[in-house]
Each structure stands twice: as structure tokens, then as C-alpha cells.
Amino acid sequence: MNTRFQAFISYSHADARWSAWLQRKLETYRVPRRVRGQPGKYGPVPERIGAVFRDREDLSAAGDLGDTIRGALAGSAALLVVCSPAAARSPWVNEEILSFKQLNGEDRIYALIVDGEPNAGDERECFPPALRFHLDADGHLSERRAEPLAADLRRGKDGRSLALLKMLSGLLGVDLDLLRQREQQRQQRRLLAIAAASVCGMMLTGYLAITASLARNDAQRRQAQAEDILGFMLGDLRQKLENVGRLDLLDSVGDKAMHYFADLDPRDLSDTALAQQAQALTQLGQVRLDQGRYPEALESFLDAYRRSEALAARRPGDGARLFDRGQAEFWVAFVHWQARDFDAARLWMERYLDSSRAVAALPEPRPEWLIELIYAEQNLAVLELDAGSLDSARAGFASARNALEEHVRTTPEDLQLAWALANLESWQGTAAERQGRLVLATGFFRDQVHVLDRIREAEPELPRWQQLSAVAELLLAASLNTTGRFAEAEAVAETAKRRMLALTERDPENADWRLTLMQARVARASALFAQGRQAEATAELDAARPVVLEAMAAGDADRRALREAFAGLSLDTALALHRNDLESAVQAAEKMIALFSVERSDDPVEIGRRAIALALAAEVAQRGGVAAQADEHLRAAEALLAPLEETSRYWAVLDPWLRVKLLAGDESAAGEVRRRIAEIGYHPIFPWPTPGEIFVSTQVAEGVVLDSPR
């Protein structure tokens, strides 16, 4: 094949910085001397990769690829796809992959994952459809799934160095281990240069301050300096500092760079410089957000927004610029949200929504812009839910759902949109549940299950849909339990359990699947316990116990594992109380309290979980005759619940509040809570406590208590 380019980079506009990084790294990479000239899969290994094509200026507005792009695809030896949810939704990226396959075959296509999840089957999907499936004999996408070769830049995955080597290994046709060994030898030599690099960084920051004051009237010089600085920050220095665990040096450079940016008037800068600065500032904001440095993160995101706003103002009809401005507004909203400043977060999230509306209203908007509007509505609704504004959240979810349903009707084959709809059904169920509308909530969770049934029928072999169906079924089972439909909840949980048993038989080491199976067993055991079938509940919980212990060991590293372990321990405590096995009940209750603390004082879910643990522990202490400990647990639970209980209709708050009042002997308050619980139609899984019961024996036989309370 006559090739002008060694590779063609296909990417979404949202991932432009990653495509630029990849092109720069590939074109500047020098193959280690000991590898050059060796026989590779595609001939002798060259000294350099050669030219890499990534320009997308010649895309036509008619929804087809231009001649320049088609020519570049035909003249490229390989295709590199920057994969993210934005890429998965991009018709341009999908068309480029499809065209390359039709022109050059499917062998030399490599994926670089920068965000999302491969083969996720939901809004996190990062592989475009043309990447996930082979072509048929006629050159059209078939239903036969492909397994693209992928490098992974996501946090905790390959990292930049290994990901780059994976891409180079494919392009050069040499063994990855060979490149890694040679690069490690190079790295040893480069470590000596790190000290110099850090000194260079300090010198650079001083230089920035000087040039900022000396070059105020020289806009072009400042523009060139800004672009060089950004290339340095995003390229060599960051990579070297990551390799030696010294990102604190990058933080220092970033702080100085931000001061430098502050001295630049965006009106003096080119579009390219502004866009690069916005990307750099967004990256710095994300690093600071991960570090919990909210004020510094906010400063970075606000500066990124100002540049995106300046670009949008220059080209008011440019959808890409408006879209970027909306993304910047989202990040400003998100950092306020994480800092629990709901008023500021709401203001910026509404701006993000307005920008999304403006993009969607443009003539011939891209499909991803229309979907972004729905996501913007959903994000604002989730914020309102978190802030406790339940009516606003419910209205926002309903609006997003109605819009998404229209997209699903017009493109029923788009399973990603169908999954987004299922996800919205779940959010609506959560909002209704917190409002005390339990029957309505069950209906939403049931709708989610039905949508996933349709998705699963379309791709029955995809494990992701099987697991997501099981998770949806467990949400439905939990909702059924709240209204006392325990037999139906048991049946739904049994369906989820069988689904996950089939998956774990295929891959017993898949920790995520094992956790979902454990969740299904605990859910079924809870429904059995509520029906008075304690022996069966105990057997089901015993089967789940090994994974419960694994989840407990995971601790704060896996919050989902922690939640599911907590559910198992709470049932363990209730079963032990039923058997009058106080020793086991005390152990389970102590583990439950130690396992899960309240991280946010305004989160009713966390507060309710902690409060039920304290209430069950108080009941155990009362039954054991340890009144002082029982009172201590009750006071702690009351302090948690008191700010919420007066206005809440959420069963997760009212259930532990009633237990606290019953155990404290406050009959008047308990009666009022009973009335409110009856209004919403809630039924407890664990029986309401009877205060004053003290047991003196822990002997049991087949789950039947031998001794009576006295």
C-alpha cells in the first residue's frame, strides 16, 4: 500500500488535547538504537515513526467525509482512535473508522482510551460502534464483535509512558517488552536530568514573571511564549515529574503559570492560544480537584471559563466554541458542588444548561450537542436532588426523560441512548422515593428494568447488559420491600441472583460481578427475613458472607463494596437478634458502626445508614442489659436524625427515627412517626423493637429461640 502517513488519528473535538499529545509524541519519538533496523512485522524498524495525520478542517457540513480526509485515510498505514464517550457519540469518528476499515482492512487499528469505559453499554461507552464490530463481506458493519487493541490513559491504568509504548509497538510491529526494556534503560539515564528539569521549572516561573512585565505591549511575543509554556507543561515536564512521583513541582509551575496568564489580555491572543490555555487550566483544575484543593481548583476552572467565553464571543455562531464554554461552566459548577456550595453550583449549572440549549438550537446541530442538552438537564436535576430540592429535581428528571424518549423513539437501534433512558428512570425513582412516593418510585424502577430487558434482547451476549439488568432488578427489589411486597421482592432478587450466578461461573475472579451477586443474595435474604423465613435467610446470607468479608476488607478504597457489606451486616445483626444470639449480634453491630461513618452531614442516605446501625446497636445493648451503651447509641442516632426528621418523608430517615423513639420509650413521638410512616405506606424489613427486653441465653436450634425475654 502506498502510504503518505504512518498513522491517521481519529478523535472527537472534546479530546483535541489528547490527539495533539499523541501526534507530538509519535512524530518526535526516536526509536532506541538497538531496536532500529531489526526485522519488524511491517519491515525493518525505522529510526522515527514519520508523519501522522490528525487535521479535521476538511470535514464537509453535509455529514460526509471530505476528499482530503478520505485521501488521508487511504494513504495511512494505521488508524489510531482516541476513545472517550465524546468519541463514541461522534458521527465523524465513527465514519472515519468505518472508512478506514473499508479502504485498508481491520488489522492496523489501535485504540487509545482517555475517558469512559470500553464495552460499557451505557453513557460511559468509549468505543464508537464501528470500532466494536467487524465488517461483513459487503463492507458494512456486522453483528460480530471486534476486540480492538487498546492502550489506556485512564487513572490507575497504563499511564502515559506505557500507553505510548503500546501504540508505538503496534505501529512499528515490534514486541512491547522489547520497547519497554529499552525505554527503561533510557529512563535510568534520564533520571539524572530530573533535578535539572525542576530547576528549569523554577527558572521558567521567574522568567514568566519577567516577561509578563516587559512584554505587555508585544502581543505576538506573549502569545508565542504562552504556547511554548503550555507545550512544556503538558508535555515533557509533566511526564518526567509523573515518572518520579514529583507532581508537586508541576503544581508550583502551574501556580506561576496562572499568574502569568492573569497578566495576559485574552483579546491579544489567537484562538489557538486561548484554546490551549483553557485546556491547560482545565487540566490543572482537575488535578487540584482530585487533591481536594477546592479554592485552587475553582480558580483554574474560572480562568479556563474566561478563555472559553472569549472564544465563544469571537464566534457566536460556532457550535464547537459554545459547546466548550458549556463544558467550562460545568467544571466551575462541579467544584462548587463538591465543596457543598449549592447556590453557586446551581448558578453555574444553569449557565451550562443555557449554553447547551444555545448549541442545540443552532441550525443542523451535531447529534452529541442535542444529547448534551439532556445531560445538562439531568446534571442539574441530580444537583437539586443532592441539595434536597426534591420538587425541582423531579421536574428536571421528567424534562430530561421526555426529551430523551423522543431520541430513543427516532433512533431505537441506539442502545447507548436507551441505557441513558434507563438511567433516568432510576433517578426519577430515587427522587420519588425520597419524597415518600414509594409506589411511584417502584413504577420508575420497574420501567428501568423493562428498558434494560429490551437492551438485553438486542445484545444478549454482552455481559455488561446482564449485570446492569441485575443491578436494576435489585433496585426494584429494594423498592418492593419498602411497600411490604416481600414475596415479589424475593422473586425479583432471585432473578438477579441467577443472572449473576451465570456470569460469575464464566469468570469467578471478576470482583464486580461477585459483588453484585453478593448484593443479590443479601437482597433476597432480606425479603426472606421479612416473610418470617429466617432459616432460608440465614442460608442465603451465609452464601454471601465470603464476599461480605472481602468488601469489608476493601474499606474506603471501594465505597460500593462498603455499602453492600453494610447491608449484609445489618441483616446479620437482625438475624442474630431474632435467634437471641447476643454475642453474634454485638459483633455484627460493632462491625457495622465501625464500617460506615457519615462523611457528609447533609446526605440523608449516609445519615440514615449510620442511624440504622446505631439503632440496631442500641437494641442489642438494651437486650444485653447494657443500658449506658444503649443510651449512648441512641443519643448519637438522634443527633444525626434530628435536623432531617421533621420535614422528611424519606423512609431511610423515618425508619431509624422510629426505632430510636421506641427504644427511648418516647411513646408520644413514636406515635407521630408511626402515623407519618403509615401515610407513605412504608413496611420495615426488620421488626420494630420492643424496649426493655433483656435476654439471658443465646442457645438456639434451627433458628428457634429457646429462651423467652424477661
Side-chain angles (χ1 to χ4, degrees):
M1 181 176 60
N2 182 22
T3 58
R4 291 182 294 139
F5 305 103
Q6 288 303 307
F8 182 112
I9 301 178
S10 180
Y11 64 98
S12 164
H13 175 77
D15 304 317
R17 71 182 181 93
W18 288 117
S19 67
W21 171 83
L22 180 59
Q23 182 187 35
R24 184 173 68 251
K25 286 299 181 182
L26 292 176
E27 291 187 338
T28 59
Y29 181 78
R30 296 190 65 180
V31 176
R33 273 194 294 269
R34 296 186 182 181
V35 180
R36 299 173 199 166
Q38 293 191 18
K41 186 176 180 181
Y42 309 112
V45 178
E47 179 182 352
R48 293 182 179 274
I49 289 292
V52 176
F53 185 95
R54 80 174 186 97
D55 185 76
R56 187 161 313 141
E57 294 302 318
D58 289 313
L59 283 179
S60 69
D64 194 9
L65 299 180
D67 291 340
T68 301
I69 298 298
R70 289 193 179 278
L73 284 166
S76 297
L79 178 69
L80 311 181
V81 185
V82 179
C83 296
S84 69
R89 297 192 298 266
S90 170
W92 306 117
V93 174
N94 195 67
E95 183 64 24
E96 286 170 351
I97 299 169
L98 183 60
S99 294
F100 184 88
K101 287 185 174 184
Q102 293 167 343
L103 291 166
N104 302 326
E106 304 186 55
D107 291 339
R108 299 196 63 187
I109 300 178
Y110 310 100
L112 179 68
I113 302 171
V114 299
D115 194 13
E117 188 72 26
N119 299 315
D122 55 30
E123 75 278 1
R124 299 171 301 159
E125 177 62 62
C126 66
F127 284 169
L131 195 62
R132 301 199 305 268
F133 297 95
H134 289 292
L135 298 186
D136 59 21
D138 296 325
H140 302 113
L141 285 183
S142 69
E143 296 182 357
R144 187 163 59 93
R145 297 198 67 86
E147 295 295 335
L149 298 175
D152 200 333
L153 279 177
R154 294 174 299 167
R155 185 182 297 276
K157 301 295 184 179
D158 292 337
R160 293 195 184 189
S161 296
L162 180 55
L164 179 62
L165 287 178
K166 284 185 174 182
M167 305 301 279
L168 288 164
S169 171
L171 290 174
L172 295 170
V174 299
D175 186 78
L176 174 62
D177 287 338
L178 176 63
L179 282 182
R180 292 180 71 173
Q181 291 170 9
R182 298 309 179 200
E183 282 300 317
Q184 286 171 359
Q185 293 170 2
R186 270 187 181 176
Q187 186 64 23
Q188 293 299 320
R189 295 192 296 270
R190 287 175 179 169
L191 287 176
L192 296 175
I194 294 302
S198 62
V199 171
C200 175
M202 289 184 286
M203 293 175 62
L204 174 66
T205 58
Y207 174 70
L208 294 179
I210 295 171
T211 55
S213 60
L214 295 180
R216 294 185 185 280
N217 298 321
D218 190 348
Q220 292 200 351
R221 187 195 305 174
R222 283 183 291 161
Q223 175 181 334
Q225 290 169 349
E227 293 173 357
D228 289 343
I229 293 163
L230 287 163
F232 178 71
M233 287 173 55
L234 294 173
D236 294 340
L237 180 59
R238 178 174 176 82
Q239 183 173 351
K240 290 177 180 178
L241 295 178
E242 281 180 335
N243 290 339
V244 294
R246 291 303 309 274
L247 280 177
D248 56 314
L249 295 174
L250 179 64
D251 288 340
S252 176
V253 173
D255 290 341
K256 294 296 183 180
M258 286 191 63
H259 289 302
Y260 169 69
F261 292 154
D263 288 332
L264 298 177
D265 188 339
R267 292 173 297 181
D268 295 335
L269 298 174
S270 68
D271 289 2
T272 300
L274 278 177
Q276 287 179 322
Q277 288 182 18
Q279 291 171 359
L281 289 162
T282 299
Q283 182 187 41
L284 287 171
Q286 290 167 347
V287 170
R288 288 164 171 170
L289 193 61
D290 289 342
Q291 295 170 336
R293 297 167 56 188
Y294 296 129
E296 295 96 330
L298 181 60
E299 182 183 4
S300 295
F301 288 134
L302 281 171
D303 278 351
Y305 163 75
R306 293 184 188 105
R307 283 153 176 79
S308 298
E309 167 67 8
L311 284 169
R314 290 180 184 181
R315 300 187 181 184
D318 189 327
R321 298 305 187 192
L322 286 173
F323 182 88
D324 288 346
R325 186 185 71 185
Q327 298 301 299
E329 289 162 342
F330 167 82
W331 280 112
V332 175
F334 188 75
V335 72
H336 281 302
W337 187 351
Q338 294 300 106
R340 315 307 290 167
D341 185 349
F342 290 117
D343 289 339
R346 184 179 293 109
L347 172 66
W348 282 94
M349 199 65 79
E350 288 172 347
R351 289 185 177 183
Y352 162 51
L353 177 58
D354 289 341
S355 291
S356 299
R357 285 172 174 156
V359 174
L362 292 173
E364 300 183 5
R366 297 177 187 173
E368 58 263 34
W369 296 348
L370 299 175
I371 301 304
E372 191 68 26
L373 174 57
I374 296 170
Y375 290 151
E377 289 186 323
Q378 177 175 320
N379 285 331
L380 179 57
V382 175
L383 169 65
E384 297 290 11
L385 181 66
D386 198 14
S389 302
L390 300 181
D391 288 335
S392 296
R394 190 161 167 249
F397 288 134
S399 176
R401 180 198 185 200
N402 291 337
L404 190 54
E405 278 185 325
E406 180 61 30
H407 284 283
V408 171
R409 277 194 294 269
T410 57
T411 55
E413 72 285 352
D414 191 330
L415 299 185
Q416 308 309 318
L417 289 182
W419 160 241
L421 178 60
N423 194 39
L424 267 171
E425 300 284 10
S426 179
W427 278 116
Q428 287 191 283
T430 298
E433 192 175 55
R434 294 194 188 182
Q435 287 186 310
R437 305 180 182 207
L438 301 184
V439 174
L440 181 63
T442 300
F444 284 127
F445 290 127
R446 200 184 299 278
D447 288 343
Q448 182 192 21
V449 169
H450 290 160
V451 174
L452 277 161
D453 285 343
R454 296 197 300 271
I455 296 174
R456 203 177 60 254
E457 289 171 2
E459 291 186 341
E461 299 303 318
L462 192 63
R464 179 67 177 169
W465 298 134
Q466 296 290 339
Q467 185 191 17
L468 287 173
S469 286
V471 171
E473 286 157 352
L474 293 175
L475 286 172
L476 175 58
S479 185
L480 289 166
N481 274 334
T482 63
T483 53
R485 287 175 280 183
F486 302 123
E488 187 179 355
E490 177 205 344
V492 174
E494 173 68 16
T495 299
K497 184 185 85 169
R498 292 183 182 278
R499 197 181 303 286
M500 294 314 300
L501 278 171
L503 285 182
T504 53
E505 285 176 2
R506 293 168 54 179
D507 184 3
E509 301 304 316
N510 188 310
D512 199 31
W513 292 354
R514 284 164 53 81
L515 192 61
T516 305
L517 174 58
M518 182 265 280
Q519 184 184 2
R521 289 190 183 279
V522 172
R524 182 170 183 269
S526 298
L528 289 168
F529 179 84
Q531 295 176 77
R533 297 157 61 185
Q534 279 75 22
E536 294 174 77
T538 300
E540 193 73 272
L541 186 59
D542 286 344
R545 198 174 307 281
V547 187
V548 171
L549 296 175
E550 289 176 16
M552 289 170 60
D556 289 337
D558 188 339
R559 297 297 291 176
R560 180 193 167 205
L562 212 59
R563 291 193 300 270
E564 303 314 331
F566 182 91
L569 285 173
S570 61
L571 180 58
D572 216 3
T573 305
L575 282 165
L577 280 173
H578 173 79
R579 300 191 307 266
N580 188 25
D581 182 353
L582 288 187
E583 182 178 355
S584 296
V586 168
Q587 291 175 356
E590 288 176 349
K591 290 176 183 175
M592 193 167 38
I593 291 176
L595 188 66
F596 211 98
S597 60
V598 173
E599 292 189 343
R600 287 174 16 206
S601 61
D602 58 352
D603 187 342
V605 178
E606 288 190 358
I607 289 172
R609 187 177 288 115
R610 177 73 172 177
I612 195 67
L614 290 165
L616 286 173
E619 185 176 358
V620 172
Q622 271 196 5
R623 291 200 184 190
V626 189
Q629 188 178 65
D631 290 344
E632 179 184 350
H633 290 324
L634 290 176
R635 285 195 299 273
E638 188 168 17
L640 283 173
L641 295 166
L644 301 179
E645 65 82 22
E646 186 173 348
T647 59
S648 179
R649 291 173 57 84
Y650 187 23
W651 67 266
V653 171
L654 297 180
D655 178 300
W657 185 250
L658 178 53
R659 294 178 192 278
V660 166
K661 293 305 172 185
L662 288 171
L663 290 168
D666 189 342
E667 292 295 336
S668 175
E672 171 61 19
V673 184
R674 280 187 188 274
R675 180 190 64 76
R676 292 164 62 191
I677 282 177
E679 283 181 356
I680 67 173
Y682 173 72
H683 291 255
I685 292 176
F686 308 146
W688 300 120
T690 303
E693 291 185 344
I694 301 177
F695 290 85
V696 296
S697 174
T698 60
Q699 295 179 351
V700 296
E702 298 299 329
V704 179
V705 178
L706 299 180
D707 293 324
S708 300
R710 67 180 185 181

